[in-house]
Amino acid sequence: MPPRPYNFSAGPAALPLPVLERAAAEMTDWHGCGMGVMEMSHRGAEFGEIMSRAERDLRALAEVPDDFAVLFMQGGALAENALVPMNLAHHGRVDVGVSGAWSAKSAAEAQRYAEVRRVFDTSSDGFTSLPDPATWRLSDDADYLHLCSNETIDGVEFHDLPDLRALGSKAPLVVDCSSNQLSRPFDWSRIGLAFGGAQKNIGPAGLTLVYVRRSLLGGADAACPSAFDFARVAREGSMFNTPPTYAIYIAGLVFEWALQFEYRGLRGLGAIEAQNIDKAALLYSAIDASGQFENRVTPAARSRMNVPFFLRREELTGIFLAEAKAAGLLQLKGHKSKGGLRASLYNAMPLAGVEALVAFMKDFERRHG
Ligand SMILES: *Cc1c(COP(=O)(O)O)cnc(C)c1O
């Protein structure tokens, strides 16, 4: 068999091969119980074991403090754009920092449920930078401040979450971390609630993770569906209704894989972060050193996970994609709103995949320069 291609999809994205192989081996019979995971009651002992192990491993991996509940939900990150105001906007006032396409969507959706104030908006520079938090126009009466920690489409990432207390705000910080959760440690002391769809760095689409400080639970809007009332879901251990069982099982295998991941003498999330730093540095330096490719994001705000880039001769984009695919480098097409190219470097992408991409880019530039 030829080697498996490297898959740079922005999401749903590549999963670690050992995880896929293990899931395949366990497809029809999980641990000798005579059933596949998709066929089990979510309330049975077998799935109970899968679920509690997944939560335990996720908490250990991401060092989620005990005063946070971890909810295994459905609806994706876009549903959270409505569910977070329904659960947290008790006074109907929400601050949003608009740093890219996803936080712009979050602001627009929150506006259906609350008065939204944009504390900054970088659309005027094409979402290529992040303003200093000291310049943000924070409200003194917001129920929370929403940020997107990594803009998947624009390739902009907060490398430090803001310390809202130090900025004089009492609002909890809400973070859409869909595309950088588990790519690096988070400073939970700065976070009130974080959410993310699983399909970027964790597992199959259909599972949404919500990490919420227990002190924020309760008092959801009366119109909020019970299945999406965070307090209710937390109380029922994410079993108010049937959770996405197979997606949780795969996520659990990914957590196990990540806990054992080793790189440069490190293990677990530290090892994952170290490899992510090396992958991003390798690709950005190749782009910056080339005469043919460019990335337009200011270096301090560049995402480790999603690297949008462009050919200076735009007419070569289609040829690049076709030749890359033939060379075993898949799904490098840029988002439809931006055009160009995008390489997503989630945890499952090994350094060797980025080395292969960079070698291909150099060869492409030599042939088409
Ligand atoms: C992918 C993504 C979304 C959308 O997630 P869905 O699961 O499709 O709702 C929202 N925010 C960010 C940052 C994303 O990367």
Side-chain angles (χ1 to χ4, degrees):
M1 272 216 302
R4 200 161 185 259
Y6 293 114
N7 177 358
F8 295 88
S9 172
L15 289 168
L17 183 58
V19 165
L20 296 176
E21 287 173 340
R22 180 144 159 221
E26 295 178 346
M27 174 63 76
T28 60
D29 185 3
W30 183 80
H31 295 197
C33 75
M35 305 175 277
V37 175
M38 273 182 270
E39 308 170 299
M40 294 173 180
S41 164
H42 59 297
R43 304 207 186 266
E46 293 84 0
F47 188 73
E49 195 180 316
I50 290 170
M51 180 99 168
S52 54
R53 169 102 197 239
E55 179 171 344
R56 197 166 67 239
D57 285 351
L58 172 58
R59 284 181 176 278
L61 189 61
E63 295 184 21
V64 182
D66 288 340
D67 57 341
F68 277 72
V70 177
L71 313 181
F72 293 79
M73 299 185 67
Q74 308 193 54
L78 290 193
E80 294 303 326
N81 285 341
L83 301 174
V84 172
M86 281 186 148
N87 277 275
L88 298 191
H90 305 303
H91 305 92
R93 285 187 284 273
V94 170
D95 277 356
V96 179
V98 178
S99 56
W102 288 118
S103 50
K105 270 201 176 183
S106 300
E109 183 74 4
Q111 226 151 339
R112 303 179 60 200
Y113 304 93
E115 180 194 331
V116 169
R117 299 168 194 161
R118 287 163 177 77
V119 301
F120 68 84
D121 183 339
T122 53
S123 54
S124 55
D125 76 10
F127 297 133
T128 55
S129 68
L130 287 173
D132 181 344
T135 68
W136 297 356
R137 298 179 298 271
L138 297 172
S139 313
D140 49 20
D141 59 352
D143 290 309
Y144 62 86
L145 166 67
H146 174 107
L147 297 175
C148 177
S149 53
N150 183 66
E151 292 281 0
T152 321
I153 294 173
D154 302 281
V156 169
E157 181 169 8
F158 281 93
H159 293 290
D160 286 297
L161 293 172
D163 181 352
L164 295 188
R165 295 300 154 275
L167 295 168
S169 165
K170 287 190 287 293
L173 178 65
V174 168
V175 186
D176 175 358
C177 62
S178 293
S179 54
N180 73 346
Q181 59 182 331
L182 294 192
S183 72
R184 59 191 306 158
F186 284 160
D187 182 349
W188 293 102
S189 73
R190 297 187 172 182
I191 296 175
L193 181 150
F195 66 82
Q199 70 270 25
K200 314 290 167 60
N201 231 351
I202 288 187
L207 169 63
T208 312
L209 278 303
V210 176
Y211 316 79
V212 54
R213 206 172 269 283
R214 295 185 202 276
S215 58
L216 294 176
L217 292 171
D221 189 274
C224 182
S226 304
F228 295 118
D229 175 336
F230 296 150
R232 183 92 192 250
V233 176
R235 203 161 60 237
E236 307 214 11
S238 301
M239 293 274 189
F240 168 76
N241 66 335
T242 316
T245 54
Y246 197 76
I248 291 169
Y249 158 71
I250 298 286
L253 297 183
V254 170
F255 302 149
E256 267 184 60
W257 168 82
L259 279 167
Q260 289 161 21
F261 186 79
E262 289 183 16
Y263 185 77
R264 287 180 181 265
L266 299 164
R267 202 180 164 90
L269 197 56
I272 288 199
E273 179 183 38
Q275 184 181 239
N276 286 336
I277 290 171
D278 286 353
K279 288 183 303 186
L282 178 61
L283 181 53
Y284 283 114
S285 59
I287 291 169
D288 289 344
S290 89
Q292 175 89 280
F293 300 97
E294 64 167 330
N295 168 275
R296 297 169 186 162
V297 178
T298 183
R302 285 175 168 177
S303 166
R304 289 177 189 165
M305 292 286 97
N306 309 97
V307 183
F309 60 113
F310 299 86
L311 278 153
R312 291 187 199 273
R313 288 171 58 199
E314 236 170 278
E315 71 277 11
L316 293 177
T317 304
I319 297 168
F320 180 94
L321 289 169
E323 291 187 357
K325 186 173 176 188
L329 305 168
L330 307 183
Q331 306 207 73
L332 283 160
K333 194 173 177 170
H335 188 268
K336 61 184 189 302
S337 66
K338 295 221 128 187
L341 304 163
R342 172 171 52 169
S344 294
L345 313 179
Y346 298 123
N347 295 348
M349 174 62 61
L351 182 64
V354 183
E355 287 168 347
L357 172 60
V358 165
F360 172 79
M361 287 163 62
K362 288 199 173 127
D363 183 54
F364 186 86
E365 182 160 357
R366 198 176 40 72
R367 287 183 293 108
H368 296 278

PDB file of all heavy atoms in Angstrom, residues 10 75-79 81 102 106 148 150-153 176-179 195 197-200 208 306 346, ligand 1:
ATOM      1  N   ALA A  10      -9.289  21.785   7.106  1.00  0.00           N
ATOM      2  CA  ALA A  10      -9.594  22.677   8.234  1.00  0.00           C
ATOM      3  C   ALA A  10     -10.681  22.090   9.123  1.00  0.00           C
ATOM      4  O   ALA A  10     -10.884  22.549  10.239  1.00  0.00           O
ATOM      5  CB  ALA A  10     -10.027  24.041   7.705  1.00  0.00           C
ATOM      6  N   GLY A  75     -24.862  20.065  18.394  1.00  0.00           N
ATOM      7  CA  GLY A  75     -25.256  21.368  17.860  1.00  0.00           C
ATOM      8  C   GLY A  75     -24.116  22.152  17.238  1.00  0.00           C
ATOM      9  O   GLY A  75     -24.344  23.085  16.483  1.00  0.00           O
ATOM     10  N   GLY A  76     -22.875  21.771  17.549  1.00  0.00           N
ATOM     11  CA  GLY A  76     -21.739  22.454  16.940  1.00  0.00           C
ATOM     12  C   GLY A  76     -21.507  23.822  17.563  1.00  0.00           C
ATOM     13  O   GLY A  76     -22.292  24.309  18.385  1.00  0.00           O
ATOM     14  N   ALA A  77     -20.421  24.430  17.153  1.00  0.00           N
ATOM     15  CA  ALA A  77     -20.053  25.734  17.709  1.00  0.00           C
ATOM     16  C   ALA A  77     -21.080  26.801  17.341  1.00  0.00           C
ATOM     17  O   ALA A  77     -21.337  27.714  18.122  1.00  0.00           O
ATOM     18  CB  ALA A  77     -18.661  26.133  17.207  1.00  0.00           C
ATOM     19  N   LEU A  78     -21.681  26.676  16.171  1.00  0.00           N
ATOM     20  CA  LEU A  78     -22.632  27.722  15.776  1.00  0.00           C
ATOM     21  C   LEU A  78     -23.874  27.710  16.658  1.00  0.00           C
ATOM     22  O   LEU A  78     -24.442  28.760  16.942  1.00  0.00           O
ATOM     23  CB  LEU A  78     -23.020  27.582  14.299  1.00  0.00           C
ATOM     24  CG  LEU A  78     -21.903  27.935  13.316  1.00  0.00           C
ATOM     25  CD1 LEU A  78     -22.464  28.074  11.903  1.00  0.00           C
ATOM     26  CD2 LEU A  78     -21.192  29.221  13.709  1.00  0.00           C
ATOM     27  N   ALA A  79     -24.300  26.547  17.110  1.00  0.00           N
ATOM     28  CA  ALA A  79     -25.415  26.516  18.056  1.00  0.00           C
ATOM     29  C   ALA A  79     -25.013  27.225  19.351  1.00  0.00           C
ATOM     30  O   ALA A  79     -25.826  27.930  19.964  1.00  0.00           O
ATOM     31  CB  ALA A  79     -25.849  25.081  18.342  1.00  0.00           C
ATOM     32  N   ASN A  81     -23.313  29.767  19.658  1.00  0.00           N
ATOM     33  CA  ASN A  81     -23.454  31.221  19.501  1.00  0.00           C
ATOM     34  C   ASN A  81     -24.812  31.709  19.979  1.00  0.00           C
ATOM     35  O   ASN A  81     -24.964  32.871  20.356  1.00  0.00           O
ATOM     36  CB  ASN A  81     -23.246  31.623  18.034  1.00  0.00           C
ATOM     37  CG  ASN A  81     -21.787  31.570  17.632  1.00  0.00           C
ATOM     38  OD1 ASN A  81     -20.897  31.572  18.488  1.00  0.00           O
ATOM     39  ND2 ASN A  81     -21.539  31.507  16.337  1.00  0.00           N
ATOM     40  N   TRP A 102     -15.344  33.933  12.257  1.00  0.00           N
ATOM     41  CA  TRP A 102     -16.149  33.187  13.241  1.00  0.00           C
ATOM     42  C   TRP A 102     -16.659  34.081  14.355  1.00  0.00           C
ATOM     43  O   TRP A 102     -17.820  33.977  14.753  1.00  0.00           O
ATOM     44  CB  TRP A 102     -15.373  31.995  13.800  1.00  0.00           C
ATOM     45  CG  TRP A 102     -15.226  30.895  12.792  1.00  0.00           C
ATOM     46  CD1 TRP A 102     -14.058  30.411  12.279  1.00  0.00           C
ATOM     47  CD2 TRP A 102     -16.263  30.151  12.153  1.00  0.00           C
ATOM     48  NE1 TRP A 102     -14.320  29.416  11.368  1.00  0.00           N
ATOM     49  CE2 TRP A 102     -15.658  29.241  11.269  1.00  0.00           C
ATOM     50  CE3 TRP A 102     -17.664  30.176  12.223  1.00  0.00           C
ATOM     51  CZ2 TRP A 102     -16.396  28.351  10.470  1.00  0.00           C
ATOM     52  CZ3 TRP A 102     -18.402  29.297  11.432  1.00  0.00           C
ATOM     53  CH2 TRP A 102     -17.769  28.408  10.577  1.00  0.00           C
ATOM     54  N   SER A 106     -20.472  35.016  15.531  1.00  0.00           N
ATOM     55  CA  SER A 106     -20.928  34.925  16.920  1.00  0.00           C
ATOM     56  C   SER A 106     -21.633  36.213  17.321  1.00  0.00           C
ATOM     57  O   SER A 106     -22.673  36.176  17.985  1.00  0.00           O
ATOM     58  CB  SER A 106     -19.746  34.677  17.857  1.00  0.00           C
ATOM     59  OG  SER A 106     -19.104  33.469  17.521  1.00  0.00           O
ATOM     60  N   CYS A 148     -12.960  34.654  19.952  1.00  0.00           N
ATOM     61  CA  CYS A 148     -12.605  33.399  19.278  1.00  0.00           C
ATOM     62  C   CYS A 148     -11.090  33.251  19.424  1.00  0.00           C
ATOM     63  O   CYS A 148     -10.327  34.079  18.911  1.00  0.00           O
ATOM     64  CB  CYS A 148     -13.004  33.447  17.803  1.00  0.00           C
ATOM     65  SG  CYS A 148     -12.527  31.967  16.898  1.00  0.00           S
ATOM     66  N   ASN A 150      -9.028  31.184  18.202  1.00  0.00           N
ATOM     67  CA  ASN A 150      -8.309  30.900  16.951  1.00  0.00           C
ATOM     68  C   ASN A 150      -9.292  30.999  15.786  1.00  0.00           C
ATOM     69  O   ASN A 150     -10.234  30.210  15.703  1.00  0.00           O
ATOM     70  CB  ASN A 150      -7.680  29.509  16.983  1.00  0.00           C
ATOM     71  CG  ASN A 150      -6.872  29.217  15.728  1.00  0.00           C
ATOM     72  OD1 ASN A 150      -5.852  29.852  15.475  1.00  0.00           O
ATOM     73  ND2 ASN A 150      -7.327  28.279  14.923  1.00  0.00           N
ATOM     74  N   GLU A 151      -9.062  31.980  14.942  1.00  0.00           N
ATOM     75  CA  GLU A 151      -9.927  32.190  13.779  1.00  0.00           C
ATOM     76  C   GLU A 151      -9.480  31.249  12.656  1.00  0.00           C
ATOM     77  O   GLU A 151      -8.487  31.492  11.967  1.00  0.00           O
ATOM     78  CB  GLU A 151      -9.873  33.651  13.328  1.00  0.00           C
ATOM     79  CG  GLU A 151     -10.504  34.631  14.319  1.00  0.00           C
ATOM     80  CD  GLU A 151     -12.038  34.640  14.235  1.00  0.00           C
ATOM     81  OE1 GLU A 151     -12.616  33.893  13.407  1.00  0.00           O
ATOM     82  OE2 GLU A 151     -12.658  35.408  15.008  1.00  0.00           O
ATOM     83  N   THR A 152     -10.255  30.210  12.481  1.00  0.00           N
ATOM     84  CA  THR A 152      -9.918  29.102  11.593  1.00  0.00           C
ATOM     85  C   THR A 152      -9.789  29.543  10.127  1.00  0.00           C
ATOM     86  O   THR A 152      -9.015  28.972   9.360  1.00  0.00           O
ATOM     87  CB  THR A 152     -11.029  28.044  11.722  1.00  0.00           C
ATOM     88  OG1 THR A 152     -11.421  27.973  13.082  1.00  0.00           O
ATOM     89  CG2 THR A 152     -10.590  26.683  11.233  1.00  0.00           C
ATOM     90  N   ILE A 153     -10.602  30.516   9.744  1.00  0.00           N
ATOM     91  CA  ILE A 153     -10.614  30.962   8.346  1.00  0.00           C
ATOM     92  C   ILE A 153      -9.530  32.007   8.096  1.00  0.00           C
ATOM     93  O   ILE A 153      -8.817  31.968   7.092  1.00  0.00           O
ATOM     94  CB  ILE A 153     -12.013  31.518   7.990  1.00  0.00           C
ATOM     95  CG1 ILE A 153     -13.045  30.378   8.042  1.00  0.00           C
ATOM     96  CG2 ILE A 153     -12.003  32.210   6.624  1.00  0.00           C
ATOM     97  CD1 ILE A 153     -14.491  30.820   7.873  1.00  0.00           C
ATOM     98  N   ASP A 176     -14.661  30.827  22.024  1.00  0.00           N
ATOM     99  CA  ASP A 176     -14.874  29.803  20.996  1.00  0.00           C
ATOM    100  C   ASP A 176     -13.493  29.252  20.654  1.00  0.00           C
ATOM    101  O   ASP A 176     -12.706  29.910  19.969  1.00  0.00           O
ATOM    102  CB  ASP A 176     -15.541  30.417  19.762  1.00  0.00           C
ATOM    103  CG  ASP A 176     -15.675  29.420  18.614  1.00  0.00           C
ATOM    104  OD1 ASP A 176     -15.215  28.261  18.754  1.00  0.00           O
ATOM    105  OD2 ASP A 176     -16.232  29.810  17.566  1.00  0.00           O
ATOM    106  N   CYS A 177     -13.209  28.062  21.172  1.00  0.00           N
ATOM    107  CA  CYS A 177     -11.873  27.474  20.978  1.00  0.00           C
ATOM    108  C   CYS A 177     -11.949  26.253  20.060  1.00  0.00           C
ATOM    109  O   CYS A 177     -11.121  25.347  20.162  1.00  0.00           O
ATOM    110  CB  CYS A 177     -11.268  27.102  22.327  1.00  0.00           C
ATOM    111  SG  CYS A 177     -12.201  25.858  23.247  1.00  0.00           S
ATOM    112  N   SER A 178     -12.932  26.262  19.152  1.00  0.00           N
ATOM    113  CA  SER A 178     -13.156  25.105  18.276  1.00  0.00           C
ATOM    114  C   SER A 178     -11.878  24.603  17.628  1.00  0.00           C
ATOM    115  O   SER A 178     -11.656  23.403  17.539  1.00  0.00           O
ATOM    116  CB  SER A 178     -14.135  25.468  17.157  1.00  0.00           C
ATOM    117  OG  SER A 178     -15.418  25.725  17.671  1.00  0.00           O
ATOM    118  N   SER A 179     -11.064  25.532  17.143  1.00  0.00           N
ATOM    119  CA  SER A 179      -9.941  25.083  16.313  1.00  0.00           C
ATOM    120  C   SER A 179      -8.590  25.176  17.006  1.00  0.00           C
ATOM    121  O   SER A 179      -7.569  24.909  16.366  1.00  0.00           O
ATOM    122  CB  SER A 179      -9.927  25.858  14.990  1.00  0.00           C
ATOM    123  OG  SER A 179      -9.933  27.245  15.229  1.00  0.00           O
ATOM    124  N   PHE A 195     -16.029  26.828  24.492  1.00  0.00           N
ATOM    125  CA  PHE A 195     -16.746  25.793  23.745  1.00  0.00           C
ATOM    126  C   PHE A 195     -16.036  25.529  22.433  1.00  0.00           C
ATOM    127  O   PHE A 195     -15.288  26.373  21.936  1.00  0.00           O
ATOM    128  CB  PHE A 195     -18.207  26.193  23.495  1.00  0.00           C
ATOM    129  CG  PHE A 195     -18.391  27.384  22.571  1.00  0.00           C
ATOM    130  CD1 PHE A 195     -18.358  27.244  21.195  1.00  0.00           C
ATOM    131  CD2 PHE A 195     -18.600  28.655  23.097  1.00  0.00           C
ATOM    132  CE1 PHE A 195     -18.547  28.340  20.351  1.00  0.00           C
ATOM    133  CE2 PHE A 195     -18.778  29.756  22.258  1.00  0.00           C
ATOM    134  CZ  PHE A 195     -18.750  29.600  20.888  1.00  0.00           C
ATOM    135  N   GLY A 197     -16.513  22.814  18.712  1.00  0.00           N
ATOM    136  CA  GLY A 197     -16.883  21.609  17.984  1.00  0.00           C
ATOM    137  C   GLY A 197     -15.691  20.658  17.995  1.00  0.00           C
ATOM    138  O   GLY A 197     -14.542  21.093  18.044  1.00  0.00           O
ATOM    139  N   ALA A 198     -15.969  19.362  17.962  1.00  0.00           N
ATOM    140  CA  ALA A 198     -14.886  18.380  18.063  1.00  0.00           C
ATOM    141  C   ALA A 198     -14.111  18.190  16.764  1.00  0.00           C
ATOM    142  O   ALA A 198     -12.980  17.703  16.777  1.00  0.00           O
ATOM    143  CB  ALA A 198     -15.463  17.027  18.500  1.00  0.00           C
ATOM    144  N   GLN A 199     -14.702  18.580  15.650  1.00  0.00           N
ATOM    145  CA  GLN A 199     -14.208  18.086  14.349  1.00  0.00           C
ATOM    146  C   GLN A 199     -12.912  18.711  13.859  1.00  0.00           C
ATOM    147  O   GLN A 199     -12.459  18.422  12.759  1.00  0.00           O
ATOM    148  CB  GLN A 199     -15.308  18.245  13.299  1.00  0.00           C
ATOM    149  CG  GLN A 199     -15.630  19.669  12.880  1.00  0.00           C
ATOM    150  CD  GLN A 199     -16.707  20.321  13.727  1.00  0.00           C
ATOM    151  OE1 GLN A 199     -16.926  19.958  14.860  1.00  0.00           O
ATOM    152  NE2 GLN A 199     -17.390  21.317  13.163  1.00  0.00           N
ATOM    153  N   LYS A 200     -12.299  19.584  14.661  1.00  0.00           N
ATOM    154  CA  LYS A 200     -11.034  20.179  14.246  1.00  0.00           C
ATOM    155  C   LYS A 200      -9.856  19.431  14.888  1.00  0.00           C
ATOM    156  O   LYS A 200      -8.904  19.095  14.231  1.00  0.00           O
ATOM    157  CB  LYS A 200     -10.979  21.662  14.625  1.00  0.00           C
ATOM    158  CG  LYS A 200     -12.233  22.469  14.282  1.00  0.00           C
ATOM    159  CD  LYS A 200     -12.412  22.675  12.801  1.00  0.00           C
ATOM    160  CE  LYS A 200     -13.779  23.203  12.388  1.00  0.00           C
ATOM    161  NZ  LYS A 200     -14.194  24.479  12.917  1.00  0.00           N
ATOM    162  N   THR A 208     -19.885  18.454  20.582  1.00  0.00           N
ATOM    163  CA  THR A 208     -19.459  19.801  20.954  1.00  0.00           C
ATOM    164  C   THR A 208     -19.050  19.792  22.416  1.00  0.00           C
ATOM    165  O   THR A 208     -19.811  19.323  23.262  1.00  0.00           O
ATOM    166  CB  THR A 208     -20.623  20.806  20.779  1.00  0.00           C
ATOM    167  OG1 THR A 208     -21.211  20.614  19.500  1.00  0.00           O
ATOM    168  CG2 THR A 208     -20.133  22.239  20.902  1.00  0.00           C
ATOM    169  N   ASN A 306      -4.008  27.070  11.730  1.00  0.00           N
ATOM    170  CA  ASN A 306      -4.538  27.289  10.382  1.00  0.00           C
ATOM    171  C   ASN A 306      -3.706  28.360   9.699  1.00  0.00           C
ATOM    172  O   ASN A 306      -3.623  29.486  10.188  1.00  0.00           O
ATOM    173  CB  ASN A 306      -6.001  27.737  10.437  1.00  0.00           C
ATOM    174  CG  ASN A 306      -6.848  26.824  11.308  1.00  0.00           C
ATOM    175  OD1 ASN A 306      -7.073  27.130  12.485  1.00  0.00           O
ATOM    176  ND2 ASN A 306      -7.288  25.709  10.773  1.00  0.00           N
ATOM    177  N   TYR A 346      -3.475  20.677  12.593  1.00  0.00           N
ATOM    178  CA  TYR A 346      -3.992  20.202  13.872  1.00  0.00           C
ATOM    179  C   TYR A 346      -3.083  19.123  14.451  1.00  0.00           C
ATOM    180  O   TYR A 346      -2.153  18.641  13.803  1.00  0.00           O
ATOM    181  CB  TYR A 346      -5.424  19.676  13.692  1.00  0.00           C
ATOM    182  CG  TYR A 346      -6.402  20.734  13.214  1.00  0.00           C
ATOM    183  CD1 TYR A 346      -7.142  20.554  12.045  1.00  0.00           C
ATOM    184  CD2 TYR A 346      -6.584  21.914  13.935  1.00  0.00           C
ATOM    185  CE1 TYR A 346      -8.039  21.523  11.610  1.00  0.00           C
ATOM    186  CE2 TYR A 346      -7.485  22.883  13.508  1.00  0.00           C
ATOM    187  CZ  TYR A 346      -8.204  22.686  12.345  1.00  0.00           C
ATOM    188  OH  TYR A 346      -9.086  23.642  11.916  1.00  0.00           O
TER     189      TYR A 346
HETATM  190  C1  LIG B   1     -15.536  25.267  12.589  1.00  0.00           C
HETATM  191  C2  LIG B   1     -15.782  26.416  13.489  1.00  0.00           C
HETATM  192  C3  LIG B   1     -17.068  26.823  13.837  1.00  0.00           C
HETATM  193  C4  LIG B   1     -18.307  26.155  13.284  1.00  0.00           C
HETATM  194  O1  LIG B   1     -18.514  24.967  13.906  1.00  0.00           O
HETATM  195  P1  LIG B   1     -19.811  24.069  13.598  1.00  0.00           P
HETATM  196  O2  LIG B   1     -19.486  22.837  14.359  1.00  0.00           O
HETATM  197  O3  LIG B   1     -19.880  23.890  12.125  1.00  0.00           O
HETATM  198  O4  LIG B   1     -20.976  24.787  14.137  1.00  0.00           O
HETATM  199  C5  LIG B   1     -17.201  27.883  14.710  1.00  0.00           C
HETATM  200  N1  LIG B   1     -16.136  28.502  15.224  1.00  0.00           N
HETATM  201  C6  LIG B   1     -14.876  28.151  14.902  1.00  0.00           C
HETATM  202  C7  LIG B   1     -13.714  28.878  15.499  1.00  0.00           C
HETATM  203  C8  LIG B   1     -14.665  27.092  14.031  1.00  0.00           C
HETATM  204  O5  LIG B   1     -13.409  26.731  13.701  1.00  0.00           O
END
